[in-house]
Amino acid sequence: MASAWYILQTYAAYEAKISRTIQHMLETGDLDSNVVKSIKVPEEEVVEIKDGKKKVRKTKILPSYVMMELDLPDLGWKDTCAKIRRIQGVNGFVGTKPNERPRPIPVEEAKRMLARAGEIKGEKVVRVKQSYAVGDVVKIMEGPFATFEGAVEKIEDGKDKLTVNVQIFGRATPVEVSMTQVEKSVK
């Protein structure tokens, strides 16, 4: 069988520990590296803007879950899955009972999560943790319009862009800026 991505449910905050345990089991030969191809705890970068300062932090895309690329054989899959399920902190494979063969997630979903985590080259996404609404007054912190203030006219969440109306030479002018370049004005 060809390799596919599976989701392993874990106790809260056990993702890294379980990933290390599986890696150790691969190194010691307890698990076959021809079956367990890859282990991922997908994380994304989140930009928070507070008091005019950017803070980048990593957050788990799937808290309490681990992604595993497995090439499960038709015979012997039960032994491999049982070894993984017996690891302390593992609840089991998502969508299956302990005696059932795990079901893989769709390829598109796996690619989307890996791209979001930056695992696929050229597709890393940085999410901005800031909510804006049309009409909010914001101050532009970077770029050619730094120090200008204006009202949010349009929001493009998918691109993390805002259209802000700023006053230039006494006229309201729409300016497109990144969400990382602005902060809410406090008045």
Side-chain angles (χ1 to χ4, degrees):
M1 185 176 174
S3 65
W5 286 96
Y6 297 83
I7 304 291
L8 189 64
Q9 186 178 16
T10 68
Y11 294 173
Y14 270 60
E15 305 91 347
K17 180 182 180 192
I18 289 168
S19 178
R20 285 191 308 269
T21 302
I22 293 171
Q23 198 63 46
H24 178 72
M25 291 172 78
L26 286 167
E27 291 167 3
T28 60
D30 290 339
L31 286 174
D32 186 359
S33 62
N34 293 323
V35 175
V36 180
K37 301 288 185 182
S38 181
I39 309 140
K40 303 280 184 198
V41 179
E43 295 180 327
E44 67 181 339
E45 288 185 358
V46 177
V47 176
E48 289 181 332
I49 302 170
K50 286 186 179 178
D51 301 326
K53 295 181 182 165
K54 285 186 200 177
K55 291 183 183 177
V56 179
R57 62 179 177 85
K58 290 190 175 245
T59 60
K60 290 179 180 68
I61 294 173
L62 298 170
S64 300
Y65 295 94
V66 174
M67 288 180 69
M68 295 182 71
E69 184 179 17
L70 303 173
D71 189 358
L72 290 175
D74 292 330
L75 298 172
W77 65 267
K78 280 188 177 183
D79 182 47
T80 301
C81 292
K83 286 179 183 176
I84 293 170
R85 283 187 185 108
R86 280 193 295 261
I87 297 170
Q88 183 182 1
V90 171
N91 290 334
F93 288 93
V94 170
T96 58
K97 295 179 179 145
N99 58 349
E100 293 178 345
R101 184 182 178 101
R103 289 187 208 111
I105 62 172
V107 174
E108 301 81 36
E109 189 174 347
K111 282 184 180 176
R112 188 173 34 88
M113 280 190 269
L114 293 171
R116 198 169 147 195
E119 299 286 339
I120 298 174
K121 291 186 179 182
E123 296 190 35
K124 187 164 188 160
V125 177
V126 176
R127 192 168 54 93
V128 178
K129 185 182 176 184
Q130 185 75 5
S131 59
Y132 297 101
V134 173
D136 283 353
V137 177
V138 296
K139 182 176 181 180
I140 301 173
M141 304 302 290
E142 297 177 1
F145 298 100
T147 70
F148 280 78
E149 284 191 13
V152 175
E153 181 180 287
K154 185 173 148 189
I155 302 168
E156 294 182 53
D157 278 330
K159 297 179 182 178
D160 286 336
K161 298 273 185 195
L162 298 173
T163 302
V164 179
N165 264 336
V166 295
Q167 292 289 324
I168 301 176
F169 303 120
R171 290 187 162 172
T173 307
V175 176
E176 188 174 278
V177 293
S178 168
M179 286 186 188
T180 61
Q181 293 178 306
V182 300
E183 75 172 12
K184 285 187 180 179
S185 287
V186 181
K187 287 192 175 188

